[in-house]
């Protein structure tokens, strides 16, 4: 009787496991939709398209980018979270922005931790602290001293309420003990125009957005915001190395699937994503956007999401930042 029960149990287990395994081996059998929650032409869209192209070649099925813009990325993320968890709808998430929206927006329409499971990280884009050349400070400590000495003379430009650029300034205020007010703009372009003209004197923006202006001498870079010196701005020290402990900001990107997606499908997608990120062609394309590829496990991506949600949630609460 024991052997019979044991055999029946084993057969039952196999009957459950085999369909999932067979499904994973056959996957994908049709095109995959990769939702990009921003308009065409932006950094997230470009990253999504180069990743989709490379993975399409390896998977043997097309990965088609679908742009679903709105509400700082929340519209597309919410739509992807409601898709069938079958591996045929994925999200190329701006993980930092989504993490910010989780705390900043009253109803973002999704829960980054409950509604999704990470496939893996794609990479990150570093930011830089830049000033107009009329600002006499050459280092972060000099800038902090200058702001504290003349607090009414300095404000910082932001490319949008709740953006990583905006919250970089708020994190700087918290870590440096300054009280710079923010000057909000509708996008990085208008903010950068006024920065170069000297209408505002301080800004945090992505390294690709500031690099040409730094090289031209129309802006001065005081620091990058990562934990290590950026390969794109090797002459510029980090803010941390200049004494601003705990000041680390990067815009992280990753691939997510709706919660409930079978684990064998997630494992296959993770392997294919990591393989794509090793491609010289993809590395070159990402480098043009200032993206450092970051192959990872699903668990490592989940840990990064947890860290981003905690960091920005605490800052938003401490600073009293409100959505527009």
């Amino acid at each position: 009787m024991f052997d019979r029960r044991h055999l029946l149990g084993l057969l039952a287990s196999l009957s459950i496991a085999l369909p999932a395994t067979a499904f994973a081996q056959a996957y994908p059998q049709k095109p995959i939709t990769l939702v990009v929650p921003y308009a065409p032409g932006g950094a997230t869209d470009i990253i999504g398209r180069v990743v989709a192209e490379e993975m399409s070649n390896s998977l043997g099925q097309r990965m088609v980018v679908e742009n679903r813009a709105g509400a700082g990325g929340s519209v597309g993320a919410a739509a992807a979270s409601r898709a069938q968890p079958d591996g045929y709808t994925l999200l190329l998430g701006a993980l930092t922005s989504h993490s910010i929206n989780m705390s900043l927006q009253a109803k973002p329409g999704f829960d980054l931790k409950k509604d999704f499971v990470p496939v893996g990280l794609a990479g990150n884009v570093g930011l830089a602290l830049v000033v107009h050349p009329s600002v006499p400070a050459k280092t972060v400590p000099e800038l902090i001293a200058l702001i504290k000495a003349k607090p009414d003379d300095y404000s910082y430009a932001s490319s949008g309420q709740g953006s990583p650029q905006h919250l970089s300034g708020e994190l700087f205020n918290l870590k440096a003990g300054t009280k710079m007010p923010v000057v909000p703009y509708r996008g990085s372009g208008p903010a950068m125009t006024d920065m170069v003209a000297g209408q505002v004197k301080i800004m945090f923006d992505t390294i690709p957005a500031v690099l040409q202006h730094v090289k031209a001498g129309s802006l001065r870079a005081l620091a990058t915001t990562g934990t290590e010196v950026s390969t794109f701005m090797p002459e510029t020290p980090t803010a941390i190395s200049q004494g601003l402990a705990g000041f680390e900001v990067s815009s992280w990107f990753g691939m997510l699937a709706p919660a409930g997606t079978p684990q064998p499908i997630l494992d296959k997608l993770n392997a294919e994503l990591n393989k794509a990120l090793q491609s010289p062609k993809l590395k070159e394309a990402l480098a043009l956007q200032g993206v450092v590829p970051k192959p990872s496990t699903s668990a490592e991506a989940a840990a990064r999401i947890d860290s981003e949600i905690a960091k920005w949630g605490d800052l938003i609460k401490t600073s009293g930042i409100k959505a527009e």
Side-chain angles (χ1 to χ4, degrees):
M1 180 64 71
F2 173 80
D3 289 341
R4 183 171 180 272
R5 286 201 304 267
H6 181 75
L7 179 60
L8 289 173
L10 179 61
L11 290 173
S13 298
L14 288 173
S15 69
I16 295 172
L18 283 174
T21 304
F23 181 50
Q25 290 174 342
Y27 172 87
Q29 296 180 320
K30 62 182 180 178
I32 300 166
T33 297
L34 181 64
V35 176
V36 170
Y38 296 94
T44 311
D45 176 65
I46 294 171
I47 293 167
R49 290 181 186 279
V50 297
V51 168
E53 180 181 0
E54 192 68 27
M55 289 185 68
S56 294
N57 295 334
S58 181
L59 285 166
Q61 287 284 352
R62 290 178 61 216
M63 184 174 281
V64 182
V65 169
E66 179 181 308
N67 297 94
R68 297 287 294 270
S74 289
V75 170
S81 74
R82 295 190 293 267
Q84 289 294 320
D86 56 8
Y88 289 102
T89 300
L90 307 170
L91 175 71
L92 197 288
L95 303 181
T96 300
S97 294
H98 293 325
S99 297
I100 291 169
N101 290 344
M102 286 279 294
S103 295
L104 189 62
Q105 296 179 357
K107 295 181 179 180
F110 66 94
D111 187 310
L112 199 57
K113 295 176 67 173
K114 294 180 180 178
D115 295 337
F116 291 102
V117 60
V119 172
L121 298 173
N124 66 8
V125 177
L127 279 72
L129 165 59
V130 293
V131 299
H132 188 265
S134 63
V135 176
K138 302 294 194 299
T139 66
V140 169
E142 288 177 3
L143 179 64
I144 294 171
L146 197 62
I147 295 168
K148 289 182 176 180
K150 298 181 178 180
D152 295 333
D153 291 355
Y154 294 98
S155 56
Y156 73 97
S158 160
S159 63
Q161 181 78 356
S163 65
Q165 292 89 331
H166 170 209
L167 294 195
S168 292
E170 293 303 317
L171 185 62
F172 182 91
N173 277 335
L174 181 66
K175 299 294 185 181
T178 53
K179 296 182 179 180
M180 284 191 299
V182 59
V183 180
Y185 288 84
R186 291 189 177 276
S188 179
M192 192 61 66
T193 297
D194 276 7
M195 272 291 295
V196 172
Q199 300 298 315
V200 284
K201 304 295 180 64
I202 302 169
M203 185 176 182
F204 294 87
D205 208 343
T206 62
I207 289 174
V210 305
L211 193 54
Q212 61 176 328
H213 300 290
V214 172
K215 289 181 176 180
S218 52
L219 295 177
R220 182 189 308 125
L222 300 190
T224 52
T225 64
T227 56
E228 300 177 350
V229 172
S230 169
T231 55
F232 299 102
M233 299 181 75
E235 302 85 6
T236 305
T238 66
I240 293 174
S241 71
Q242 297 182 64
L244 205 60
F247 187 80
E248 187 272 324
V249 183
S250 294
S251 284
W252 285 88
F253 301 88
M255 186 176 289
L256 308 174
T261 300
Q263 189 61 46
I265 301 297
L266 294 172
D267 292 341
K268 184 167 186 175
L269 285 168
N270 175 263
E272 294 295 341
L273 174 60
N274 287 337
K275 184 167 68 173
L277 293 173
Q278 300 294 340
S279 160
K281 180 182 177 181
L282 182 57
K283 286 182 178 180
E284 182 179 355
L286 292 179
L288 293 175
Q289 303 304 316
V291 179
V292 179
K294 295 288 184 179
S296 74
T297 64
S298 178
E300 288 168 341
R304 170 55 59 180
I305 290 171
D306 288 345
S307 174
E308 292 291 293
I309 291 174
K311 174 167 57 176
W312 299 119
D314 288 346
L315 178 65
I316 289 167
K317 183 177 179 180
T318 300
S319 304
I321 302 168
K322 303 295 183 183
E324 290 181 335

